[in-house]
Amino acid sequence: QMQLVESGGGLVQAGGSLRLSCAASGRTFNWYRMGWFRQAPGKGRLFVASINWSSGSPNYGDSVKGRFTISRDNAKNTVYLQMNSLKPEDTAVYYCAARTSGAATYDSWGQGTQVTVSS
């Protein structure tokens, strides 16, 4: 079992920045990919970004390309999401997730951290 703990959420004005962190513990030896998802009130969970744990190759959702950057620190078992030029529509609960090798989907999830962007 892998445990994921997010931190770094908060309230920020439009145009501002935040950095989210996700620390992993437990069975971390067979990671394949880690990602960030978000869910706004009354809406479904949406893909934000992901990163291949070994190569560092990133993928981004269309709505955050050019504004968000995902990165990882292998030594700390931590993945980050740097969010710049934040917009009110970025307001959501942000979840960290891990996909282990051989898994078809993300199979470990954090508890989420709230990000609120005021206009």
Side-chain angles (χ1 to χ4, degrees):
Q1 188 73 21
M2 183 186 300
Q3 292 78 44
L4 302 174
V5 179
E6 303 98 333
S7 61
L11 173 64
V12 64
Q13 288 188 333
S17 299
L18 282 175
R19 189 177 82 154
L20 305 182
S21 300
C22 174
S25 60
R27 297 185 63 184
T28 61
F29 61 89
N30 59 343
W31 291 354
Y32 165 62
R33 202 162 193 92
M34 291 191 72
W36 288 96
F37 295 76
R38 68 187 185 187
Q39 186 167 18
K43 297 187 177 180
R45 190 170 295 186
L46 298 178
F47 170 75
V48 175
S50 68
I51 189 166
N52 183 293
W53 194 254
S54 60
S55 71
S57 174
N59 281 325
Y60 296 96
D62 289 341
S63 62
V64 305
K65 284 181 180 177
R67 300 188 298 124
F68 291 10
T69 302
I70 189 170
S71 62
R72 91 273 193 237
D73 185 327
N74 300 62
K76 296 182 178 180
N77 288 339
T78 299
V79 64
Y80 304 97
L81 185 69
Q82 178 66 44
M83 306 185 294
N84 298 329
S85 302
L86 283 161
K87 305 175 182 179
E89 51 263 43
D90 294 318
T91 295
V93 177
Y94 284 70
Y95 297 90
C96 174
R99 179 177 165 186
T100 53
S101 180
T105 61
Y106 287 85
D107 47 358
S108 295
W109 291 84
Q111 82 289 349
T113 185
Q114 176 70 47
V115 171
T116 303
V117 184
S118 63
S119 56

